[in-house]
Amino acid sequence: MGIPKFERFFRAAAGLDVNKNDLKRYNDFVDAKLYDLFLIGTANAKANDRDIIEPQDLPVTKGLQESIHAFEKLEEGIELRPLLDQLAARPALGMEAAEDTQQRLPVLAGGLSVALARALKTIARDTRHPSTDQWDEAFELFDLLI
């Protein structure tokens, strides 16, 4: 996501101001959380005797599903190719993702992005631009949940 789109997205999703310095943090977050979802998806696929990760193998919670719906209403797109490239740069998962699963990556990333923006808004109630400490707090919360 480019800087202008990133800034526009966070304003629309949670009324927050972000800048180019926050973009790396955001990209690292999305990369890490998507990989975490796929790690869990791999375990679920194996537990169900499948050799491919299907969409139902990914742990999409009620909250993440609601964030995906909110993302879709924002009408902001996220490119699929960079997400696939990021996952490919991570350690191998031991199985491939089904085409349907790969096609869901942009909405998963969008849902995670909305959830992150809203978590930051909750943590940084009295500010429009979250501090580094507030970003770190949001990341710690997500690490507890995903």
Side-chain angles (χ1 to χ4, degrees):
M1 191 181 295
I3 294 168
K5 188 174 184 176
F6 171 65
E7 291 171 336
R8 188 175 57 247
F9 176 85
F10 268 75
R11 271 193 298 281
L16 293 174
D17 292 327
V18 293
N19 59 41
K20 65 181 181 180
N21 298 324
D22 298 320
L23 184 58
K24 178 167 179 10
R25 269 188 273 257
Y26 164 77
N27 284 332
D28 290 347
F29 168 82
V30 170
D31 176 46
K33 292 303 128 198
L34 283 176
Y35 186 73
D36 290 347
L37 290 176
F38 273 77
L39 281 174
I40 296 166
T42 300
N44 288 339
K46 286 179 183 177
N48 288 297
D49 293 324
R50 281 194 295 280
D51 57 359
I52 193 163
I53 304 167
E54 297 290 345
Q56 66 267 23
D57 293 320
L58 300 177
V60 177
T61 62
K62 178 181 176 276
L64 181 53
Q65 188 65 48
E66 289 171 0
S67 293
I68 289 170
H69 290 308
F71 168 72
E72 292 171 332
K73 288 179 184 175
L74 290 175
E75 297 182 5
E76 293 282 345
I78 293 181
E79 301 274 330
L80 177 60
R81 176 56 36 208
L83 296 172
L84 290 171
D85 292 345
Q86 283 178 293
L87 283 175
R90 291 283 199 152
L93 294 167
M95 70 175 55
E96 296 292 318
E99 183 69 26
D100 290 351
T101 307
Q102 290 182 29
Q103 294 302 316
R104 289 198 41 83
L105 276 172
V107 296
L108 287 168
L112 288 167
S113 300
V114 167
L116 173 62
R118 291 180 174 175
L120 282 166
K121 183 66 175 178
T122 300
I123 291 167
R125 283 193 197 280
D126 299 328
T127 185
R128 288 194 44 92
H129 186 258
S131 69
T132 298
D133 288 344
Q134 291 164 329
W135 280 88
D136 291 343
E137 287 176 39
F139 296 163
E140 285 178 37
L141 288 174
F142 277 87
D143 287 342
L144 290 172
L145 299 171
I146 300 176

